[in-house]
Amino acid sequence: MQNALGLMGDQALMVAIALALGIAGITALFLALFWPRRWRMKYRMEIGFVILLVGLVFFADQRSTATYKAYEVDLRNGGVSGQIVDPAARAAFDQQITVLAFQWGFAFTTEGGEISRNAVRVEPDQKVLFRILSNDVIHGFNVPVAGLTTEFDPGAAREVWIWTPSKPGKYLIQCVNYCGVGHAQMKAWLVVGGSNADMA
């Protein structure tokens, strides 16, 4: 299954709620405009709508905080996402991958020296460390399914890590910093499970 937008779980729920509220709001607006005065929305409905929105904000904040804490929990020994990981902590990772970003693509190098362009294969439920480099301009590295976004300057290494998804499939990796005319095509795949043939 390809999950190009990374809409899973809580993200899909929030998108569905936002879509439903948008449709309900537009419907209420048209009803308020075209129904006779006696059918106009009562103030308590508006207050209820505001309370619902505030509740959604708290829900989104709680889920975002839970995701952040889950990704940072194992980095308390001095390695913080976005910084160089202490060599002693590297044994905790199932796989370490070097990523070279360039205009306009990604090259992935595994510990075994295998190089692939715009796709990298990992196993489900692995803790994977990415060492990210740029050889030209500032790029971004975004893995929506893992909730990971970072940017990095040319000539400076950045290390970030993710837990790979449990479900096999192809998941989007993209540059999120405008890096020139080919920026929109600067995408790659995180291939979870499968074989090298799935990286095409």
Side-chain angles (χ1 to χ4, degrees):
M1 176 188 141
Q2 295 188 11
N3 182 27
L5 295 178
L7 293 177
M8 300 177 68
D10 295 330
Q11 291 175 326
L13 177 62
M14 292 303 293
V15 168
I17 291 171
L19 186 61
L21 286 176
I23 292 170
I26 291 170
T27 303
L29 177 65
F30 277 102
L31 292 176
L33 289 173
F34 298 112
W35 277 10
R37 186 175 300 276
R38 68 180 186 272
W39 291 103
R40 297 221 175 177
M41 186 181 297
K42 299 188 183 212
Y43 285 117
R44 65 176 170 245
M45 292 179 73
E46 293 174 3
I47 293 170
F49 187 71
V50 169
I51 290 171
L52 177 64
L53 290 179
V54 170
L56 286 174
V57 168
F58 279 108
F59 170 76
D61 180 65
Q62 184 266 337
R63 295 307 304 149
S64 176
T65 301
T67 300
Y68 172 80
K69 287 182 178 177
Y71 275 88
E72 294 295 326
V73 69
D74 290 330
L75 292 178
R76 57 186 171 273
N77 295 325
V80 177
S81 182
Q83 298 180 355
I84 301 301
V85 174
D86 183 354
R90 290 183 180 274
F93 295 100
D94 298 304
Q95 197 170 350
Q96 298 176 41
I97 298 168
T98 300
V99 183
L100 177 64
F102 55 90
Q103 292 176 311
W104 290 277
F106 297 97
F108 300 92
T109 306
T110 65
E111 294 173 272
E114 295 177 12
I115 300 173
S116 60
R117 181 171 173 175
N118 295 331
V120 61
R121 193 169 68 80
V122 297
E123 295 302 320
D125 295 314
Q126 279 192 334
K127 188 176 179 182
V128 177
L129 176 69
F130 292 101
R131 183 171 194 264
I132 310 170
L133 310 159
S134 169
N135 71 350
D136 42 35
V137 298
I138 296 174
H139 289 288
F141 187 74
N142 175 242
V143 187
V145 72
L148 170 69
T149 300
T150 188
E151 67 175 28
F152 47 101
D153 298 327
R158 173 155 292 182
E159 293 188 339
V160 293
W161 67 275
I162 66 168
W163 283 108
T164 59
S166 301
K167 189 171 185 179
K170 291 170 70 174
Y171 298 89
L172 181 69
I173 298 172
Q174 62 187 348
C175 176
V176 289
N177 278 44
Y178 181 74
C179 55
V181 294
H183 166 72
Q185 286 75 44
M186 191 168 169
K187 295 179 172 65
W189 291 109
L190 178 73
V191 180
V192 179
S195 65
N196 290 337
D198 296 324
M199 294 171 58

